[in-house]
Amino acid sequence: MKLDTPSQTLKDPFSLPGPKGKFLAGNAIDFGKNPLFFLTQCAKEYGEIVPIHLGQRKAVVVTNPKYVEYLLKDREVFVKPEALKSMRSLLGQGLLTSEGETWFHQRRLAQPVFHQKRIGGYADVMVDYTEIMLAHWKDGETKNIQAEMMRLTFNIVMKTLFSSDVTEEQARDVSEAMHVSADWMLKQRRSFITFPESFPTPSNLHYKNAIDRLNKQVYQIIKQRRASGEDPGDLLSMMMNARDEDDGSQMSDKQLRDEITTLIFAGHETTANTLAWTWMLLSQYPEAQAKLQQEVKQVLGDRPPTFADLPALSYTSAIVKETMRLYPVVWNIIAETSRECEMGDYRIGADWTVISSPWVMHRSEAYFEQAELFKPERWEGDFEKKLPNGVYTPFGGGPRTCIGKSFALMEAALLLVAIAQKFEISLVPNQTIIPQATITLQPKNSIQVVLKQRD
Ligand code: HEM
């Protein structure tokens, strides 16, 4: 981000005030204990660029939208953090974890697969699976809505990836591997002393076994599909058929395996948690749930939603946007600098960590009036277009923006209206719901709701 400031006048962010750290750990303990509070306080007390130490590592927390935009745009300077490498056993060199040429090549191959027109074909799968779930819901029942949404989005991502090729055992092994991996990554992140992955601790062995089982199943699915020569039009066959425009190359089995696990990992928990937060908010704001109901009646009547209905479901779309503002499941975007660079008036050193947080930006009164309130109406008209770049970034931005954005928005809207059509949902009273910033932003315990069947 080259500004007009002559480089000798650039300032060192570490000359600015920041939160006091502890001996050796710096701010790592406070950040780790309650990251949402820590990042919010940094912005509130110290401003748009705040120096901190994560252990011995220099880091800055940025909330100036221009700095956030720069971080998202220049992915040669701002690379994925080293800590992400701990996800490589699960995700390999898939889109989420790869860098440079490898990432660029894979992104080019995968991009057309996620084009809105192509994924529109999955709308029916999304609605059908929701109806299967709803057929098991009963009037007056209490449910953990996050667990319900998790199961539903997992089934949907598996179906859209593999059509009907997946056995129950395969789905179970994949699901188990996702859970074990998420727990393992969290433990690694939280513990002060971590053993290398190859060290046979019980936790490492459990993780390794889960990955081995996942690999066996995914490679078997790929092998069967290649042998059958069939093309059922699912994501797997689209990725298998994808060809590089320049050199005509296609994905190897290993690349397919890495992308498949990446899509399952990135593509179900995110949408599930977004929907769980949506139902919490709609229960807390019954007038919004009533307005949603009105839109559903008006646009759909009693028939199930389709892809073609999406443009008419404008209030539904505003609800999803507003939920992602207040509860952005990707609550922070962290990068490391591959070289020294300039951020506004500041010089950022090589190999520093730069942290931006949609949680903090999305709750800033500077951009959102009554920022703590759930007001889907704020998204009417061209409100989103008027926001400065770097302010509202639930899907990231720049070259590494979420490849599944259209898929996720379509899924969230369709599932929401399909459920709202049949059930009114309210929170079980007197429960404390605490957002927990783990790999995604999720409720610390659960969100318990009561179902009321509509007539
Ligand atoms: C509400 C749902 C979702 C949210 C909020 C979300 C958010 C994000 C964000 C913020 C990033 C960028 C991370 C960064 O810059 O470091 C990202 C990347 C990614 N997302 Fe999503 N995501 C969602 C759903 C999905 C779905 C449904 C899929 C696939 C089916 C998916 C696949 C991916 C992949 C593969 C990447 C890596 C892209 C790359 O680096 O080239 N996401 N997502």
Side-chain angles (χ1 to χ4, degrees), residues 111 122 190 221 446 448:
Q111 189 73 42
Y122 300 129
R190 290 207 173 136
I221 296 170
S446 63
Q448 298 291 332

Side-chain angles (χ1 to χ4, degrees), residues 385-398:
K385 275 197 194 128
K386 283 190 188 150
L387 286 173
N389 290 338
V391 169
Y392 181 68
T393 58
F395 290 102

Side-chain angles (χ1 to χ4, degrees), residues 177-189 203 439:
M178 291 294 148
H179 285 125
V180 173
S181 305
D183 283 351
W184 182 86
M185 283 169 207
L186 211 58
K187 254 189 229 151
Q188 293 285 104
R189 208 180 277 183
S203 162
I439 293 167

